[in-house]
Amino acid sequence: MKRREAIILKKNIQDMPLKYFILTFGCQMNMHDSEVMAGILENIGYTAAENKEQADILLINTCCVRETAENKIYGLLGRLRKLKYEKPALFIGIGGCMTQQERTAEKIKNRFPFVDLIYGTENYHNFTELLKTAQDSQKTVLQLSHQINPVIEGLPIKRASGFRAWVVVTYGCNNYCTYCIVPYVRRNERSRQPGHIISEVKDLIAHGYREITLLGQNVNSYGKDLEQPSDFAGLLTEVNKISGLDRIRFVTSHPRDFNQRLIETISSCEKICEHIHLPVQAGSNHILKRMNRGYTREHYINLVESIRRSIPGVSVTTDIMIGFPGESDQDFQDTLDLIERIRFDSAFTFVYNKRQGTPAASMEGQIPDHVKSKRIKVLVDLQNKISKEINLREVGKKHWLLVEGTSKTNNQLLSGRTRSNKTVIFPGPHYLNGKIAEVEITEGKLTHLEGKWLDNYC
Ligand code: SAM
Ligand code: SF4
């Protein structure tokens, strides 16, 4: 019996809508892609399952930025073999960044022949047809698109939240940092038309959304590829004019393309939140050059100073990597020194990981694992100390939070985010969910703040 017949038979017997579950790995762009996949599936009659065991169709949205992410996915596929054996009608699809690499897609097909469909990041527009083809097939269907698709508008989206939404401004990346696989799997940068972005935001406001996060691998280069060139500052100014919207965020910013006009725009637009995520990657000019980041440590330090001068109360967070090929003890010290000088509110810290096909993978001077382990520990300890000190200084301050729901660690408490993107947990009534509530900070912890509600909300 073909997979689709088995699925339809099951639907008829149970007379219940078929269920889907999506497992997502990686960044916010991947999480948003999963919202698109969910929208497509709901459009053709599927409903969300609570877990993978209840699902009739299970999609895995993969990440390949680091080897550890890939290994997790191989481990998961190994475990799914048993689930598929117990439930042969279960449809398993795997897509996203990892499968965009042709060799990896072939490897998955050979090692895990029970997978029904392997697709890439450029297959969402024809996903329904692809799904039907795979359901009719007895073998794994592998469909990767090698051409760079233009931006596709109008795909359905089932958003995870009812009041915060991601809105893509650019797809792909042109930067080719020498360690990074993203430009190879996500392809060249393509900007959406400003009109499409504005319409999407207006539609979200009409549906009760209060906060939007503009998404791109390098939002600061938005618009360069459009026929009528536009820029990110111009886009932000237009989004800021949309009435009914409370908060605007954006990720990720690239230090090379973050200019004074953008700083002035952020400082003058009242809806743009005071938080800049500005990956620095390294504090040594020698390493920044080898990484092809296109800026120096001096440029970065001046930029942060300028941001802090113009945007009162701004928090600055970053991504930092250690163990890049050629990183000497002095280079590592330069990174520590930069962290002490900037004092980031928080940082995502990474150990350099070889990605096949990227220039850094074949560079001389690969750093031994034991050196990387030592350096990452020193780095994390230093950043934790700074984050804790900064959070302690928040005690006694008042903040307006967008309340996101119950706290992940204590379901008696609510969790919300300040404009500066700090998570605050506090006791409060559940009707505050999705509202903007005022709190006073009572405790500063390493990763979050604690507060008390001041009885105000809007
Ligand atoms: N576009 C963003 C930028 O320019 O920083 C970030 C995209 S990347 C998916 C997120 C982070 O992963 C990067 O900032 C970098 O620190 C880390 N990363 C990327 N490639 C890596 C590698 N080969 N090994 C370790 N970390 C890596
Ligand atoms: Fe990767 Fe660099 Fe592009 Fe970020 S800017 S996605 S790190 S190539």
Side-chain angles (χ1 to χ4, degrees), residues 65 172-184 186 189 216-218 252-257 279 281 291-293 319 321:
V65 168
C173 183
N174 287 350
N175 287 308
Y176 291 92
C177 302
T178 53
Y179 50 81
C180 185
I181 193 84
V182 170
Y184 303 91
R186 288 279 181 171
E189 185 175 279
Q217 293 300 344
N218 173 6
T252 298
S253 293
H254 194 300
R256 190 197 49 216
D257 299 315
Q281 310 298 356
M291 285 178 164
N292 190 31
R293 288 291 289 177
D319 292 356
M321 188 189 302

Side-chain angles (χ1 to χ4, degrees), residues 87-104:
K87 200 176 161 185
L90 171 68
F91 183 95
I92 299 180
I94 176 162
C97 292
M98 181 174 162
T99 53
Q100 273 292 116
Q101 309 165 96
E102 192 145 1
R103 255 198 280 172
T104 310

Side-chain angles (χ1 to χ4, degrees), residues 279-292:
V280 63
Q281 310 298 356
S284 137
N285 282 337
H286 162 234
I287 295 298
L288 285 171
K289 191 155 187 223
R290 278 168 77 87
M291 285 178 164
N292 190 31

Side-chain angles (χ1 to χ4, degrees), residues 160-216:
S161 160
F163 42 88
R164 299 160 67 209
W166 286 302
V167 175
V168 175
V169 299
T170 57
Y171 295 96
C173 183
N174 287 350
N175 287 308
Y176 291 92
C177 302
T178 53
Y179 50 81
C180 185
I181 193 84
V182 170
Y184 303 91
V185 294
R186 288 279 181 171
R187 310 299 175 88
N188 279 6
E189 185 175 279
R190 286 145 291 158
S191 301
R192 288 178 75 194
Q193 291 292 341
H196 288 140
I197 297 169
I198 302 291
S199 306
E200 185 175 341
V201 177
K202 285 188 175 161
D203 185 59
L204 287 163
I205 304 309
H207 287 88
Y209 283 80
R210 305 194 69 169
E211 177 182 293
I212 55 134
T213 302
L214 302 175
L215 273 189

